[in-house]
Amino acid sequence: MLLLLLAGSTGAEPMLIAHEGVSSSKLSRNEARLLVTLRVITWPDSTPLRVFVLPDNDPLHQEFARSVLGVYAFQLRRAWDRQLFSGTGQAPEVVNSESEMLERVATTPGAIGYVSEIPAGASVQLVEVK
């Protein structure tokens, strides 16, 4: 099931994607932020959440944080580091490319990530963020 996602202001339009088995196809900005920052670690159906991100300095990562989540990339890093170093949480898994992101989200139940475009035939769903 594919849905439209709000577009970024750069050439790349970040889209939040999820594993096809995830039942949530629409999220508020706050819900998306809670998931990506790992403040919530399961989906409403109790499926464990897995978050995949690009490196902090990747332009798509920075645009995704700003336009979809409404925060700066350094604020995401600070939230993840705080949880990791305090022992209260974990950091997302960093992937090296959008193609790796698509592959990992498609093959990991409960996973979310983001890409600039979804190729035809990709086994992920687009999650609308309002």
Side-chain angles (χ1 to χ4, degrees):
M1 172 187 229
L2 295 179
L3 302 170
L4 291 176
L5 181 73
L6 53 105
S9 61
T10 65
E13 299 177 354
M15 295 178 270
L16 183 64
I17 58 171
H19 183 270
E20 286 185 318
V22 168
S23 60
S24 300
S25 62
K26 292 182 183 181
L27 298 172
S28 70
R29 180 179 270 193
N30 189 53
E31 289 170 324
R33 193 180 306 124
L34 289 171
L35 292 171
V36 172
T37 59
L38 292 160
R39 306 273 291 170
V40 173
I41 58 171
T42 61
W43 289 98
D45 66 359
S46 300
T47 302
L49 174 68
R50 293 282 305 273
V51 179
F52 295 97
V53 297
L54 292 167
D56 290 351
N57 62 349
D58 187 285
L60 184 61
H61 174 73
Q62 294 173 2
E63 182 65 15
F64 171 76
R66 188 191 64 70
S67 67
V68 177
L69 302 178
V71 299
Y72 291 106
F74 76 85
Q75 291 172 300
L76 286 178
R77 173 55 51 202
R78 192 174 0 186
W80 296 325
D81 288 348
R82 186 177 320 118
Q83 291 176 167
L84 188 63
F85 298 139
S86 69
T88 60
Q90 58 186 17
E93 190 167 336
V94 178
V95 296
N96 296 314
S97 66
E98 287 187 66
S99 60
E100 184 181 357
M101 176 85 71
L102 282 164
E103 179 183 332
R104 298 296 297 275
V105 171
T107 59
T108 307
I112 60 170
Y114 50 89
V115 292
S116 61
E117 66 179 83
I118 300 175
S123 298
V124 297
Q125 67 172 309
L126 189 57
V127 178
E128 183 179 7
V129 179
K130 292 184 183 186

